[in-house]
Amino acid sequence: MVVLVGLTAQRHSGLSRITAWWRGLGGDGFVALPPPTRSRYTQSDGHEDAAELFAARGIAGGASFAYWHWQSHAAFDRSGALTGPLYLHWGGDHATVAAGLGEGPPGYRIVSGGPQGAFQLDRVTKRDADGLPDPRDEAGVRQFLDRIGTSRHHGSPAPLTGPAERWLHDRLASPVELPRVAGFAAALELRKALTPDETSRLLAAWQAEYAGRLSAWPGWWPVLNALLRKEREEAWDVAAALGPAAAEILAEHPSPQALATLRAMALAGHDSAVPAWFHTYRTLDEPDPYQTARTLSDQLTDREPAQAALLGALRTAVTRDWRTAHPEADRGAAQAFSALTAVRFATDDRLPHPLRVAAARAAYDQVGPVREEAARLTGIGEAEVFAAADRYETARDGLLAGTGPDLTGREGGLCDIWHRYRTLSPADIRWLRDRLADPATGVQGIAFCLELLHAHGEAGETELLALLPRWKKELTKQYRTTYTEWRHPLVTLTCLAQDLAHPAAHDLLAWWARPKPLWKAPLRLLTHLGAPDETRAAELWEFTVSGGHDTGHLMTWVLLRARLDGTHPLHVAERLIGKPGIREYVLHRVLIGVTDPAQPLWHYALDPRSRGWWQRAREVADDPRLSAGARAIGLAAARGHHVLRHPDQVRPALTEGERSEARAWLDARA
């Protein structure tokens, strides 16, 4: 059930009207899932909700369905008004879903995003003879701004009509209402049409209303851009107050002062400013991108994230130069050339060692695609491409020895490379242990490294002692691991302490037993995997079959039971097929996730983009030790993986040879 705020005010709100219409949908092979709760946070959650609903109602698995999730639900404000398009996601047959949704409720319209996209539900609005909305109609204004464009990142905007430009200038007349005018200012400044008077009034209002937090106003960039465009002195005070957020805008207006400001940002540890520094330095001082990269790399020392940012800037510059020289090259060829740059740079003696290491890491999964695309790379011989790939493969392990990924990057990027750590080399183990011993490693990095070491049996008392001084202040904070391949680091640390029979286990378990903070309640039972016994197994099993929300509980029980019985967790999971109280879709994910008990996949759902999940699904499907029913689960998961349906979404990217091999594998099992 959706929790609604201000129910009286919402009785006639957009949310209530849309929900009433939504609940009336269904039939002819189409199901509209109930409106979301916070537990349906992503599309994966929506598909799992559909599987659970179909199982409960006895609906055939091939039915089509639509839903929105909690992130989409942010389109409604607290009063229930629709403040942006409501994205409706779906599964099954696109035409069936489109027919099931129809045109939308009265006063709204539905626009299809095509077979690969979501449907959008939005208000029907009115325009005058010039195509302009009533300024008081917030939905109409929003749609107008979306139509003319307000983003700097979507290419050159179309020119404004005279009436449209006058309408925008009228919106910026005194008095300035900052919360309402960001889009108007952006639309004008994209066309270099923000006037000096408008810029001054916006600047004054901005500095007064957002003093000490200038970047909090979403309309800041057109004001800074206009100040720089007109070479006004106030620009530098504004840029200093904004900090690294201003880097990209400064790079669009290269000057010695912009260069000095960007350099200071980069050397202060703001890696996001490095590409802007590279671009500005190259524009002003050194056209050769390789010399620019060498100069900046020497100043950045060996900070890996900064070197990776610099490498990205160099690859972008070299790829852009290549595209300029070969305008006939399409987007796919440009992507292949960009991949080739990383392969080449790893063994390019013109670049310093830190940049070559960054290139070796960036090219790790690019060699296969580069070899396949060699013929498309205009101006480069295939023999040259193959030679570069051969040099890379010879040098890669030496360059990457004792290194690892950026632990502060996005979680999805770390999940994408999880399969590389299915076995750990001695150099991997040293690197992971060094990261845990480093006080600068944050919670995400601790979770990543500790999970790998513990799962592979390489975590010991040294790692425990390194983290114990930090657990109360740092590891007792909420950290979502729903869509990661690792657990909350305090869960893993508690399991380790119990396995080692260390005295600290008592304090850790006492903390888990307390009622607060509330976020830890769903995770407490996951600590039973450490030093398991029958009592803990029984408690965990009782929860697992209770119907409570599973956040790793069944997987934990399977791994725990396997430890107690001295058997492979696959066989434990296999025995649960068809057992009352076990949700099928959770068991299917667990069966594949525990294929390798030395590196279980803790992701909340079967990740259809992941190479690791694809590999494990195939292993289950081909495992002669398993029953036909268990193997069928693996085969079904493989068939539903993006390797076949959306291969461009698989990470790391697949070669055409790998796609062909995957198709042949499935065809052989049809």
Side-chain angles (χ1 to χ4, degrees):
M1 178 179 178
V2 178
V3 178
L4 304 179
V5 180
L7 290 176
T8 302
Q10 292 186 46
R11 196 165 294 157
H12 302 292
S13 70
L15 177 58
S16 63
R17 288 194 294 270
I18 290 169
T19 301
W21 159 79
W22 184 263
R23 294 189 186 281
L25 299 178
D28 296 325
F30 171 71
V31 177
L33 300 188
T37 65
R38 293 181 187 273
S39 65
R40 187 195 300 162
Y41 196 73
T42 68
Q43 293 184 55
S44 295
D45 294 335
H47 284 258
E48 291 201 358
D49 284 355
E52 190 169 4
L53 180 68
F54 290 179
R57 296 185 182 178
I59 300 173
S64 298
F65 59 94
Y67 63 93
W68 75 89
H69 53 53
W70 198 254
Q71 294 180 80
S72 300
H73 196 77
F76 296 104
D77 66 15
R78 291 178 63 83
S79 67
L82 188 65
T83 61
L86 177 64
Y87 286 88
L88 304 174
H89 303 282
W90 58 279
D93 177 67
H94 183 264
T96 301
V97 175
L101 292 174
E103 297 181 355
Y108 297 84
R109 59 190 171 97
I110 289 180
V111 177
S112 171
Q116 303 299 324
F119 292 84
Q120 295 182 43
L121 186 150
D122 205 349
R123 276 187 48 191
V124 174
T125 59
K126 295 181 180 180
R127 308 176 194 171
D128 64 16
D130 293 316
L132 303 173
D134 184 329
R136 296 166 297 182
D137 182 356
E138 292 184 4
V141 169
R142 169 177 52 79
Q143 293 170 5
F144 167 68
L145 291 175
D146 288 344
R147 191 165 64 252
I148 64 174
T150 60
S151 172
R152 300 167 41 244
H153 303 292
H154 292 165
S156 300
L160 295 170
T161 64
E165 184 166 344
R166 288 192 295 274
W167 188 93
L168 288 167
H169 284 301
D170 288 345
R171 306 284 74 75
L172 296 180
S174 294
V176 174
E177 298 181 51
L178 286 186
R180 300 173 60 88
V181 302
F184 309 140
L188 287 168
E189 185 55 23
L190 277 176
R191 285 92 177 169
K192 300 181 180 179
L194 202 60
T195 68
D197 180 60
E198 289 167 341
T199 303
S200 295
R201 286 189 287 105
L202 286 168
L203 175 61
W206 175 30
Q207 290 176 322
E209 191 167 337
Y210 288 85
R213 54 187 189 98
L214 293 188
S215 61
W217 180 48
W220 66 262
W221 78 257
V223 179
L224 176 59
N225 198 76
L227 293 171
L228 291 165
R229 179 167 56 86
K230 293 295 184 180
E231 298 183 357
R232 290 174 54 169
E233 193 61 32
E234 306 102 298
W236 304 108
D237 290 335
V238 171
L242 286 167
E248 194 174 336
I249 304 295
L250 291 174
E252 294 175 5
H253 302 272
S255 69
Q257 193 162 0
L259 180 62
T261 302
L262 290 167
R263 178 180 183 274
M265 289 178 183
L267 297 186
H270 300 297
D271 300 332
S272 60
V274 170
W277 182 28
F278 174 92
H279 176 77
T280 305
Y281 187 92
R282 188 185 178 199
T283 302
L284 296 177
D285 294 343
E286 178 54 71
D288 180 7
Y290 296 93
Q291 181 58 49
T292 295
R294 284 196 298 272
T295 301
L296 271 56
S297 178
D298 290 344
Q299 297 180 63
L300 289 169
T301 64
D302 290 344
R303 284 197 300 114
E304 292 179 4
Q307 296 289 344
L310 179 57
L311 174 74
L314 175 61
R315 291 177 66 188
T316 298
V318 172
T319 302
R320 186 180 293 120
D321 291 349
W322 178 80
R323 292 204 73 173
T324 300
H326 303 283
E328 73 282 2
D330 60 18
R331 184 170 179 268
Q335 290 175 329
F337 182 85
S338 178
L340 175 61
T341 60
V343 171
R344 281 172 153 177
F345 292 165
T347 58
D348 192 330
D349 290 336
R350 291 175 295 176
L351 299 178
H353 182 75
L355 273 182
R356 284 186 279 125
V357 171
R361 185 174 298 114
Y364 195 97
D365 295 295
Q366 300 295 318
V367 178
V370 162
R371 290 184 187 276
E372 274 194 352
E373 297 290 336
R376 301 184 64 187
L377 297 172
T378 307
I380 306 170
E382 288 188 63
E384 181 183 349
V385 174
F386 291 141
D390 289 343
R391 289 194 301 271
Y392 171 80
E393 290 177 328
T394 300
R396 184 187 69 186
D397 291 346
L399 285 167
L400 295 181
T403 71
D406 176 11
L407 296 173
T408 65
R410 65 182 183 88
E411 289 177 344
L414 291 174
C415 287
D416 288 345
I417 63 170
W418 192 252
H419 65 284
R420 297 182 193 170
Y421 292 94
R422 194 161 179 182
T423 59
L424 298 181
S425 69
D428 289 332
I429 294 171
R430 285 194 300 272
W431 184 84
L432 292 166
R433 286 174 172 166
D434 288 346
R435 297 291 74 72
L436 289 180
D438 185 351
T441 302
V443 171
Q444 176 175 285
I446 292 172
F448 180 91
C449 297
L450 185 60
E451 183 73 52
L452 284 172
L453 288 171
H454 184 251
H456 285 287
E458 298 292 345
E461 188 172 14
T462 300
E463 287 68 50
L464 177 67
L465 295 177
L467 294 174
L468 283 179
R470 303 177 61 182
W471 78 270
K472 288 185 179 179
K473 287 188 176 180
E474 298 177 56
L475 302 187
T476 53
K477 304 296 189 294
Q478 184 172 11
Y479 168 61
R480 288 178 61 90
T481 57
T482 306
Y483 299 101
T484 66
E485 304 296 4
W486 49 88
R487 296 168 292 178
H488 190 290
L490 198 53
V491 171
T492 316
L493 187 67
T494 305
C495 290
L496 174 62
Q498 294 177 93
D499 286 339
L500 295 174
H502 193 278
H506 177 270
D507 292 338
L508 289 161
L509 291 172
W511 181 84
W512 283 106
R514 295 178 194 134
K516 292 184 178 180
L518 296 177
W519 66 262
K520 69 181 179 180
L523 303 183
R524 182 185 68 83
L525 293 176
L526 305 189
T527 65
H528 285 7
L529 188 55
D533 58 33
E534 293 294 345
T535 300
R536 291 181 172 188
E539 182 185 7
L540 186 54
W541 177 256
E542 183 179 357
F543 176 86
T544 300
V545 296
S546 71
H549 188 57
D550 190 301
T551 56
H553 296 89
L554 181 58
M555 176 171 283
T556 302
W557 185 86
V558 167
L559 292 170
L560 182 158
R561 191 72 259 165
R563 289 185 67 180
L564 289 176
D565 297 345
T567 187
H568 197 289
L570 271 176
H571 300 307
V572 177
E574 180 184 34
R575 292 196 295 268
L576 298 178
I577 297 174
K579 196 173 186 67
I582 299 298
R583 285 166 285 198
E584 284 188 4
Y585 72 93
V586 178
L587 178 60
H588 295 181
R589 180 238 306 171
V590 169
L591 184 71
I592 295 165
V594 301
T595 306
D596 184 352
Q599 197 202 36
L601 302 180
W602 288 96
H603 194 287
Y604 176 80
L606 194 153
D607 185 354
R609 300 180 317 108
S610 160
R611 281 201 178 212
W613 284 94
W614 163 251
Q615 181 182 0
R616 309 297 178 88
R618 287 183 57 162
E619 290 175 12
V620 170
D622 286 344
D623 193 330
R625 300 170 298 174
L626 298 178
S627 66
R631 294 198 304 272
I633 291 171
L635 184 58
R639 285 187 177 132
H641 197 279
H642 286 357
V643 160
L644 294 183
R645 297 190 301 163
H646 308 292
D648 57 310
Q649 296 182 21
V650 176
R651 294 294 180 268
L654 299 166
T655 65
E656 185 53 46
E658 288 170 329
R659 297 182 192 182
S660 298
E661 190 276 334
R663 287 191 291 269
W665 181 85
L666 280 171
D667 288 345
R669 288 153 182 77

